[in-house]
Amino acid sequence: MRTTNDVGKSETPDRVLGDEWLDWEGKGAPEDANEGKRTFLLLSLLVLAGFVLLGFLFWYLVLPRFEQYGKAYAIVLTVAVVTLAAFFLAWYALLSIAVLSKRLYLRFCLQKGAGLFLMLFPVVSHVAASLGISRDRLSHSFIEVTNRLAGTSEGEGLILALIPRCLRRELRQQIAEMCAEFPGVLVHTTPGGTEARRIIHEKKPRAIVAVACERDLVVGIHDVAPRIPVIGIPNTRPLGPCKDTALDLMKFRSALVYFTRKP
């Protein structure tokens, strides 16, 4: 997964083992983000509502000019604005129901529609920052949302498990042993986004399980979803960024089970 200093800003070189985040002062271990799905859903609804209001403001300002050309033009404009507003609100509502629902068929039907959340994320991140919500908290919530919309992508092809080099050695070994239990799963340790993109391009997996920090996962999800179903597993950082990180092995196994349908 590639690395960015901030969501929506230009890409910087990939971190290597031992590097620290530029905005972390190195005093103690930073708290691991653990934000639920509702945070991103509520903020994205706020942003979408703002765009809808801007659309109606545009309609209000230009309607008199359209009326000068004829009533039919004004009606067409009104119908277009109302239709677009209703479409995006309905799209958001269906996606939210799919995220919060336990019924898998809703997620399967809407997995390709997650692009709306991907489009809203850069603006939502700025709104979250203004409300004092950290990037990692928002990113964790976003990952929880996109994980719920990941389809199983049944068919031919391998499942690629990407893990970071900063993961503890014993955990990397446990993950390798776990992946060996599942047919068609390839585990690959990546030092950064360039290597991750290369292996994805070469192997052309039908699904991806990725372990990384929230920032790398968000950028990686933007790179491949919804073209390739991906489940992100945020790591934990008891010693700080990129130093002997850990993860919830049960979540990792659940992701493999989800993609392979292994009991």
Side-chain angles (χ1 to χ4, degrees):
M1 306 293 177
R2 66 187 180 190
T3 303
T4 57
N5 284 334
D6 201 353
V7 176
K9 292 187 177 181
S10 60
E11 183 179 357
T12 59
D14 293 321
R15 292 193 301 268
V16 296
L17 186 64
D19 281 356
E20 298 171 353
W21 288 330
L22 296 179
D23 55 356
W24 182 57
E25 298 177 355
K27 299 178 181 179
E31 294 184 2
D32 293 312
N34 189 18
E35 198 75 20
K37 300 181 286 291
R38 287 177 173 79
T39 298
F40 179 78
L41 290 177
L42 290 174
L43 290 177
S44 59
L45 176 60
L46 178 64
V47 169
L48 182 60
F51 282 129
V52 170
L53 289 176
L54 286 176
F56 280 107
L57 177 62
F58 167 81
W59 167 82
Y60 175 78
L61 293 175
V62 303
L63 184 62
R65 180 62 58 91
F66 275 74
E67 289 177 337
Q68 292 178 358
Y69 294 104
K71 190 174 182 179
Y73 291 97
I75 293 175
V76 170
L77 174 66
T78 301
V79 170
V81 171
V82 171
T83 301
L84 283 175
F87 170 77
F88 282 109
L89 290 174
W91 188 6
Y92 172 88
L94 289 173
L95 287 173
S96 298
I97 292 172
V99 169
L100 298 174
S101 174
K102 295 182 179 180
R103 298 184 178 182
L104 293 178
Y105 70 85
L106 288 175
R107 291 152 60 188
F108 296 159
C109 293
L110 295 171
Q111 59 179 295
K112 298 301 183 182
L116 177 62
F117 288 144
L118 296 174
M119 290 187 295
L120 291 176
F121 183 84
V123 182
V124 173
S125 65
H126 290 294
V127 173
S130 67
L131 297 175
I133 299 174
S134 70
R135 283 175 291 170
D136 290 335
R137 285 177 56 196
L138 179 69
S139 298
H140 195 103
S141 180
F142 172 76
I143 293 164
E144 290 287 321
V145 168
T146 56
N147 283 353
R148 288 288 295 174
L149 292 173
T152 56
S153 186
E154 298 178 356
E156 298 296 328
L158 60 84
I159 297 167
L160 182 62
L162 296 174
I163 60 175
R165 193 169 60 180
C166 63
L167 202 63
R168 293 175 183 172
R169 185 186 300 271
E170 63 272 19
L171 288 175
R172 294 204 302 270
Q173 180 62 34
Q174 287 178 278
I175 287 176
E177 295 172 356
M178 186 183 298
C179 290
E181 301 175 16
F182 296 83
V185 175
L186 171 68
V187 61
H188 190 84
T189 301
T190 59
T194 301
E195 176 67 12
R197 286 190 292 273
R198 183 190 66 80
I199 194 69
I200 291 172
H201 177 73
E202 289 181 356
K203 301 300 182 181
K204 295 179 173 56
R206 66 177 175 87
I208 299 172
V209 179
V211 179
C213 64
E214 286 84 2
R215 305 180 188 200
D216 287 355
L217 286 176
V218 165
V219 181
I221 290 170
H222 275 81
D223 281 345
V224 302
R227 177 174 52 88
I228 303 175
V230 55
I231 291 181
I233 312 293
N235 60 20
T236 56
R237 302 170 288 276
L239 300 179
C242 305
K243 296 179 179 180
D244 288 333
T245 59
L247 82 158
D248 187 332
L249 287 173
M250 291 305 298
K251 287 185 177 180
F252 187 87
R253 173 177 283 275
S254 296
L256 294 179
V257 170
Y258 178 74
F259 283 135
T260 63
R261 298 292 185 90
K262 179 182 175 68

